[in-house]
Amino acid sequence: MRAFTYERANSPAAAAAAAAGNPEAKFIAGGTNLLDLMKLQIETPSHLIDVNGLKLDTIETTDDGGLRIGALVRNTALAADARVRRDYGVLSRALLAGASAQLRNRATTAGNLLQRTRCPYFYDTAQPCNKREPGSGCSALGGFSRQLGVIGVSEACIATHPSDMAVAMRALDGTVETVKADATTRTIPLAELHRAPGTTPHLETTLAQGELITAVRLPRPIGGRQIYRKVRDRASYAFALVSVAAVIQRDGSGRIALGGIAPRPWRSEAAEAELRRGAKAAAAALLEGARPTRENAFKLPLVERTLSAVLSEARA
Amino acid sequence: MKFEIPATQNPIDQTTVIGQPRDRIDGPLKVSGTAPYAYERHDAAPNQAYGYVLGAAIAKGRILSIDLKEARAAPGVLAIVTASDAGKLGKGKRNTATLLGGPEIEHYHQAVALVVAETFEQARAAASLVRVDYAPSQGAFDLAAEKERAVKPPSEESTPTDTQVGDFTGAFAAAPVSLDQTYTTPDESHAMMEPHATLAAWEGDKLTVWTSNQMVDWAATDLAQTLGIPRANLRVVSPFIGGGFGGKLFLRADVLLAALGARAAERPVKVTLHRPLMMNNTTHRPATIQRIRIGATKDGTITAIGHESWSGDLPGGGPEVAVQQTRLLYAGANRMTAMRLAVLDLPEGNAMRAPGEAPGLMALEMAMDEMAEKLGMDPIAFRVLNDTQVDPEKPHRPFSMRRLNECFRIGAERFGWSRRSQRPAQARDGRWLVGIGVASAFRNNLVTKSAARVGLDRQGVVTVETDMTDIGTGSYTIIAQTAAEMLGVDLDKVIVRLGDSNFPVSSGSGGQWGANSSTAGVYAACVKLRETVAQTLGINSSEAVFTDGEVRAGNRSVPLARAAEAGPLVGEDAIEFGDLDETHQQSTFGAHFVEVGVDAATAETRIRRMLAVCAAGRILNPKTARSQVIGAMTMGAGAALMEELAVDTRRGFFVNHDLAGYEVPVHADIPHQEVIFLDETDPMSSPMKAKGVGELGICGVGAAVANAIYNATGVRVRNYPITLDKLLERMPDAA
């Protein structure tokens, strides 16, 4: 860990302003991912801006009947919120499928969206990794890639985004509210928050330097059967091999977003258009253009089979 | 005390304290966070500094240069140790690779530098500034690719590499029913909770290390040899160990580097092997490729059994003895076993909980299941039919005690085995395909010399001192129970001090030899003390009965404490074993039953219930023994379903080198476990008539899980761990 300076921000705009002028600054909230990365010398910020005191920890009902979830709402609180459990069940289930109770108590909504990949090569500073050290190469391609991405990946990087929460929020058409250093705010659809890796996998989001997420907004409830199915090697405390967040309506239409297979929560309109024709057709559309490695090719049939189980459950 | 003839009646047989399910006497210290583990010995020496280990970034090659300039200038840095300035170092006889690498690098994350600083954070930050220039060279990292180049390793007397009885080839070829299959097990990590850790302090030329090690005397001997100092100048203290599983049998880099760092910084230095370093810096259970051939008559009598195993290690290392149990477990007139060893430049392979049997039974007991199916026999009936009461390779050696068939009978009844469908993929519970499986558990009972010192003071308090260790197993408690039983007091009158090289040399903890051997050593010392007590009190020692805090003989009854009125009394002795383990085969036995559910869609396997029935001599404490067995069953479940050190065969290292990447079971994976111990005493094992259970519990579990998965799905996976990707394509139609 590199020595760093530390400040507590007084307002979201002040936090953004403090970070904007310093490319080596990082926001810290729950710290459940950032501190690990700092200890391992993967993240080496010279300055930390603690945003925990910013009062962004409430969940409000919005005028249009949706929810506005403060960036600092802890994962535990969000999963347990009565409105979330009633109207956005897929989100509550996704949260509870992630991490452990202790981590969820600390981890925040915005931090969860911005957590970094768990690719083991990203975690080993002795190994080439384009995400950690641009231009050094990708060790995972041709290496141990069983956990890694099969779609939306590039020659430079096959890392996955590890979040469960983000997958559910993507299915719910979540949007992200931010504030910039000049105090201007904007709204970014979750679909546009994470970048495709391309040749620059170290650039992970469309946020500007210093831009701070202040909330996640969910549109008003859409009903339907809300299912989160996480497939993994052990029963708890493991990242998804494949996960499916689904909101399925009585007529068989619906939305699906997938985790564990791509650098961002994976959703496709084409796949949703095929939903009523069944899992095979939907999976084929969803995985159009997939480029798995030898080690993770099993994720393709696994997606179809998991989707099939989810659709059966939705019908039951 | 020599133990050369079978034990007869002795005070241990009273079982007023021994054999009782007593709570751990060290439990309150542990649950209150006050048990002094090595890295927390802030009290042990003043002015401690922190060392941070830098591991090699290549698997094989040479260090061309190390630039320490920036690191030395970093805040708080006191000293930096590398091979080029550490002075001449030897190598402990139990180490394969050197613990401080350079200029040659033998494996990934081999230690190349220790940075010592005022704080841990400073040491870690400075370590990232050490610039090492490497010249990598080509290495061999892929066992499957090196298999054909594997050679017959040097045979040791205790474990020959090859054995042959009768005409295996002929009998196998002639057998009406036969099986020839190959199975693989992966590299596994001990992944214990407490990382290796040491605090080292020099006083002149005398060194004390507070560390976490299963074998205090081995550590002291190998550290003296490595540092080139007299053994007498060295004290090793290891009273509490947060898990070892064989990973702490040997001197490791934390001890050596703490000692070197303390010498360089001229201050006590504390070093831990941080988690990401553990998998590649320390030892691991080596991967195996195993070929098993079984031939039988149509009624299921085994006529030929063959087991070959290939594993790899660094030059100078040894094989995983995965064929060991096949020499003893089942009858069969014609037999062969063989082990071959390839050179691999991966980190050092070595013992992990039940080395040999754990991976060996994962293969053999799956093969037995497959063979039973070929014969159309029930898997238990097939095993029972081929039971043997003598060493099948040397039939003049009977087993001292072998009740494997009884384990199966009792287990089958308790588990509801009769409800199992012999045809696979028949049972369904909602989304789950349900199956049950069984396997034999088998692990040899090793006995080894063990000494102890037992004192009595005028308050009647009994103090036991031995360098025996408690690696979470319950040694403190069973040793206290032994002394309490022998001297007729309750546990609150017994103090146990362990893990200090100033104490008499014990068996240590490993190979499940610790419980029986170390308590037998305490027994021997107690016999000495009893004689001294009787003599002091003027009682004929052959008539003396020690009970209820008193010594009784005839009508006379004297408080035990009175014997120490004139000054404390001490008895010191060792148990030394004769040839009863040569004339008789001493082993422990069990039967594992497992029920699994396999998700019909995703092929995720989840264990639903587990039962182990164990026959392992006298159970010294059913509570701590049960904890040992359920822990081992959990580890076996991990081996079956998820544990695998992923080898990067291009770069030569274990990629998933932390507990996020190397998955071990969590609570949610282990829903229900039951353990039954047969009531038995084995007079051939020691005066305690006990044997080990700590490793028996892992032996066979993996195969029982695998067999249950087959029973659930009809899919046979012969490459562990059985993850969903290996099942997926062959799963039955998920209707």
Side-chain angles (χ1 to χ4, degrees), chain A residues 1 39 41 120-121 124 126-128 139 141-144 146 229 231-236 238 241 298 305 309, chain B residues 57 108 124-125 128 431 599-602 604 606 646 648 650-651 653 655 657 663-664 666 668-669 723-725 731:
Chain A
M1 186 186 283
K39 291 173 186 174
Q41 205 73 17
Y121 295 98
D124 188 334
Q127 300 301 322
S139 314
L141 270 170
F144 174 54
R146 181 172 177 272
R229 183 68 183 277
V231 181
R232 44 186 160 175
D233 289 322
R234 65 180 171 189
S236 179
L241 293 167
F298 73 92
R305 294 178 71 106
Chain B
Y108 197 70
R124 184 175 59 191
S128 73
R431 61 190 252 212
D599 189 294
T602 63
E604 291 164 286
R606 301 287 182 253
D648 187 318
R650 308 160 307 169
R651 299 174 175 276
F653 74 112
V655 183
H657 52 64
E663 290 184 12
V664 299
V666 294
D669 291 299
T723 45
L724 61 90
D725 44 305
M731 285 289 280

Side-chain angles (χ1 to χ4, degrees), chain B residues 419-581:
Chain B
R419 292 198 297 275
R420 171 183 177 267
S421 162
Q422 194 131 330
R423 264 183 62 208
Q426 300 300 305
R428 179 118 190 207
D429 177 7
R431 61 190 252 212
W432 302 102
L433 308 178
V434 179
I436 62 180
V438 76
S440 295
F442 175 92
R443 172 75 174 148
N444 285 334
N445 182 59
L446 307 173
V447 290
T448 181
K449 182 180 173 182
S450 193
R453 183 157 63 220
V454 185
L456 174 70
D457 72 11
R458 56 169 46 186
Q459 277 78 43
V461 173
V462 174
T463 301
V464 185
E465 293 176 331
T466 162
D467 84 352
M468 178 60 186
T469 49
D470 189 324
I471 59 173
T473 40
S475 308
Y476 277 104
T477 310
I478 57 172
I479 283 172
Q481 287 175 283
T482 303
E485 192 74 78
M486 289 299 290
L487 296 166
V489 297
D490 203 2
L491 286 184
D492 59 0
K493 287 283 190 202
V494 184
I495 294 168
V496 180
R497 297 203 181 107
L498 299 182
D500 188 326
S501 61
N502 285 349
F503 299 153
V505 175
S506 73
S507 61
S509 299
Q512 78 169 14
W513 62 59
N516 178 52
S517 300
S518 74
T519 55
V522 173
Y523 171 94
C526 287
V527 168
K528 273 262 173 75
L529 180 61
R530 283 165 60 112
E531 281 164 12
T532 310
V533 167
Q535 208 172 11
T536 309
L537 296 175
I539 292 173
N540 184 341
S541 70
S542 64
E543 286 172 28
V545 175
F546 289 67
T547 186
D548 295 331
E550 296 182 334
V551 188
R552 293 176 194 160
N555 294 332
R556 216 179 136 204
S557 175
V558 189
L560 176 66
R562 192 170 300 164
E565 251 173 13
L569 302 181
V570 175
E572 181 170 340
D573 201 1
I575 191 85
E576 291 179 77
F577 294 91
D579 66 354
L580 286 177
D581 64 336

Side-chain angles (χ1 to χ4, degrees), chain B residues 35-373:
Chain B
Y37 287 88
Y39 205 70
E40 292 148 15
R41 292 305 303 267
H42 313 296
D43 59 306
N47 201 25
Q48 298 172 14
Y50 291 80
Y52 192 86
V53 179
L54 183 68
I58 61 165
K60 188 174 161 71
R62 280 180 72 82
I63 294 175
L64 297 174
S65 65
I66 303 187
D67 180 355
L68 301 175
K69 210 184 305 163
E70 229 185 315
R72 278 197 205 284
V77 171
L78 300 168
I80 300 178
V81 177
T82 66
S84 61
D85 55 26
K88 189 175 160 3
L89 295 175
K91 193 173 80 176
K93 72 170 180 183
R94 296 171 187 87
N95 292 126
T96 305
T98 56
L99 299 175
L100 176 57
E104 292 301 319
I105 297 300
E106 294 161 283
H107 62 86
Y108 197 70
H109 278 178
Q110 185 175 28
V112 296
L114 180 81
V115 179
V116 182
E118 292 285 351
T119 70
F120 172 79
E121 289 76 13
Q122 288 173 330
R124 184 175 59 191
S128 73
L129 302 174
V130 174
R131 309 277 172 238
V132 187
D133 189 13
Y134 296 100
S137 55
Q138 201 65 37
F141 307 117
D142 184 349
L143 176 62
E146 298 303 314
K147 181 177 171 235
E148 294 314 315
R149 277 186 283 277
V151 299
K152 183 176 170 175
S155 226
E156 286 175 42
E157 201 186 335
S158 56
T159 40
T161 56
D162 293 19
T163 61
Q164 285 206 347
V165 175
D167 171 21
F168 170 79
T169 310
F172 181 72
V177 183
S178 65
L179 169 112
D180 180 352
Q181 280 296 355
T182 298
Y183 307 84
T184 64
T185 62
D187 298 285
E188 292 173 6
S189 178
H190 307 87
M192 57 282 187
M193 189 90 76
E194 181 205 26
H196 296 76
T198 300
L199 166 66
W202 292 88
E203 260 183 87
D205 59 357
K206 294 213 171 12
L207 172 66
T208 302
V209 294
W210 293 264
T211 187
S212 181
N213 191 289
Q214 299 172 226
M215 301 293 296
V216 166
D217 189 56
W218 290 5
T221 310
D222 282 356
L223 181 56
Q225 193 171 353
T226 308
L227 289 172
I229 64 173
R231 169 74 169 73
N233 288 5
L234 197 56
R235 181 174 168 214
V236 174
V237 187
S238 179
F240 287 96
I241 295 149
F245 310 121
K248 294 175 181 165
L249 283 170
F250 312 109
L251 179 76
R252 297 304 313 170
D254 56 310
V255 191
L256 176 65
L257 290 174
L260 295 174
R263 185 148 72 187
E266 298 179 338
R267 276 169 66 172
V269 167
K270 187 184 262 197
V271 174
T272 186
L273 300 180
H274 50 278
R275 188 72 69 184
L277 208 60
M278 275 184 48
M279 275 73 174
N280 288 284
N281 178 276
T282 73
T283 59
H284 67 279
R285 189 200 298 283
T288 65
I289 299 170
Q290 302 180 48
R291 181 189 188 195
I292 293 181
R293 284 173 287 174
I294 304 174
T297 60
K298 283 190 172 149
D299 74 349
T301 303
I302 294 176
T303 53
I305 184 163
H307 192 163
E308 295 154 87
S309 173
W310 291 262
S311 60
D313 203 355
L314 288 165
E320 178 71 18
V321 291
V323 306
Q324 200 162 249
Q325 71 290 319
T326 309
R327 294 168 178 169
L328 292 162
L329 188 48
Y330 298 114
N334 304 285
R335 333 175 53 90
M336 67 82 67
T337 64
M339 292 183 283
R340 294 295 175 266
L341 179 64
V343 170
L344 289 182
D345 299 296
L346 290 169
E348 178 176 336
N350 215 314
M352 178 168 143
R353 201 174 199 171
E357 277 98 334
L361 283 163
M362 285 165 80
L364 177 65
E365 288 299 287
M366 189 167 1
M368 288 295 285
D369 201 66
E370 295 196 61
M371 190 66 186
E373 188 182 36

Side-chain angles (χ1 to χ4, degrees), chain A residues 44-304:
Chain A
T44 53
S46 64
H47 185 62
L48 286 187
I49 301 159
D50 187 334
V51 296
N52 281 296
L54 294 187
K55 311 264 189 295
L56 301 172
D57 56 355
T58 56
I59 305 171
E60 300 155 15
T61 307
T62 57
D63 294 342
D64 65 354
L67 280 189
R68 186 175 181 278
I69 302 159
L72 292 168
V73 173
R74 309 283 157 173
N75 287 177
T76 298
L78 184 56
D81 184 87
R83 290 160 293 185
V84 173
R85 292 179 57 185
R86 186 185 63 225
D87 298 330
Y88 306 95
V90 65
L91 176 57
S92 185
R93 292 183 181 108
L95 282 158
L96 294 174
S100 65
Q102 293 89 338
L103 285 167
R104 293 193 298 267
N105 288 342
R106 266 320 276 168
T108 62
T109 302
N112 190 319
L113 291 175
L114 298 180
Q115 66 178 305
R116 308 202 66 191
T117 186
R118 298 312 198 277
C119 173
Y121 295 98
F122 175 70
Y123 266 72
D124 188 334
T125 51
Q127 300 301 322
C129 169
N130 287 323
K131 189 184 274 298
R132 180 170 28 77
E133 206 178 320
S136 61
C138 174
S139 314
L141 270 170
F144 174 54
S145 57
R146 181 172 177 272
Q147 284 276 350
L148 301 175
V150 296
I151 191 160
V153 294
S154 72
E155 283 299 320
C157 183
I158 58 170
T160 52
H161 192 270
S163 173
D164 294 296
M165 182 196 79
V167 179
M169 285 179 169
R170 179 77 181 89
L172 293 168
D173 276 339
T175 54
V176 170
E177 292 180 7
T178 71
V179 61
K180 290 191 197 170
D182 61 2
T184 58
T185 61
R186 66 166 173 154
T187 300
I188 309 170
L190 200 52
E192 291 164 23
L193 178 68
H194 297 105
R195 291 173 186 246
T199 55
T200 55
H202 59 293
L203 303 176
E204 293 178 350
T205 71
T206 51
L207 297 173
Q209 171 63 34
E211 189 171 5
L212 178 75
I213 296 178
T214 51
V216 173
R217 197 182 271 269
L218 299 180
R220 65 191 174 81
I222 54 167
R225 282 294 297 271
Q226 303 206 359
I227 295 167
Y228 190 75
R229 183 68 183 277
K230 183 173 182 179
V231 181
R232 44 186 160 175
D233 289 322
R234 65 180 171 189
S236 179
Y237 200 37
F239 293 97
L241 293 167
V242 163
S243 71
V244 176
V247 181
I248 306 294
Q249 306 296 342
R250 274 172 192 278
D251 64 1
S253 69
R255 304 177 185 175
I256 45 169
L258 276 82
I261 59 168
R264 50 184 172 180
W266 198 252
R267 192 174 159 192
S268 107
E269 282 175 21
E272 287 171 10
E274 298 285 344
L275 263 186
R276 295 210 286 205
R277 292 180 51 212
K280 195 177 177 67
L286 195 75
L287 296 171
E288 172 87 44
R291 30 195 270 180
T293 66
R294 192 176 52 81
E295 286 193 1
N296 67 19
F298 73 92
K299 289 192 176 188
L300 272 47
L302 184 59
V303 164
E304 184 188 322

